[in-house]
Amino acid sequence: MEELLRQLTTLVQGLVDDMSVLKQDMQTVKQKLGQLEQRVDKLEQRMDKQEEELRWLKEQMKENTEMIKVIRDNQLEQRSIQDGMRHEIASLRGEMAGIREQMATKDQLSRLREQMATKEDISLIHQRLDYQLGRIARVEEEMYLLKKVD
């Protein structure tokens, strides 16, 4: 019986030791579970931050897309204006070429100057005109007097 008691005591002591080891293991598991919960909380916080950044990036991307559309539309408008200006410039160049063709050269201008009356010529023409007007006035006066006498 003593033997049995010793065996029983040994068994109970073994169970007690096993229970102590099991308690320590449970403590370790609890600590690791607590650490795991902290890490999960940190991950959730990081995920929240990333979701916020993603939302902000989507908003920014939408704004950038709108700006790009406006810039593209403006660029198309500017190209259209430039095309119009090119056509206008080409038209003006054509008109200028036509004007150049019609312009007198230096030689032609010299000949025209030679053909033009000088101040002396104009003065003589005025004198002749005055003389002729005077004659006409006298003739008209004589005609008037002759008509009156008749």
Side-chain angles (χ1 to χ4, degrees), residues 90-124:
S91 173
L92 289 172
R93 284 182 179 160
E95 288 177 19
M96 286 177 63
I99 291 171
R100 281 188 186 128
E101 288 176 11
Q102 294 175 359
M103 285 176 58
T105 63
K106 288 182 181 179
D107 292 337
Q108 291 170 333
L109 287 175
S110 296
R111 277 185 256 136
L112 287 173
R113 281 190 190 119
E114 289 171 5
Q115 293 173 358
M116 288 175 57
T118 63
K119 287 182 181 179
E120 292 85 23
D121 293 338
I122 293 171
S123 177
L124 284 173

Side-chain angles (χ1 to χ4, degrees), residues 31-74:
Q31 286 176 351
K32 287 186 178 183
L33 188 58
Q35 291 172 352
L36 188 60
E37 284 177 353
Q38 288 176 353
R39 290 179 71 189
V40 168
D41 288 343
K42 286 180 182 178
L43 282 174
E44 284 178 351
Q45 289 174 357
R46 287 175 63 191
M47 287 294 290
D48 290 343
K49 286 180 184 177
Q50 287 180 350
E51 285 175 357
E52 180 68 26
E53 286 179 14
L54 182 62
R55 187 172 50 80
W56 181 84
L57 286 173
K58 284 181 180 179
E59 234 175 89
Q60 188 65 46
M61 196 161 118
K62 183 180 176 184
E63 288 177 17
N64 290 350
T65 302
E66 290 300 316
M67 286 192 298
I68 288 170
K69 286 179 183 178
V70 168
I71 289 170
R72 186 188 66 218
D73 291 345
N74 189 19

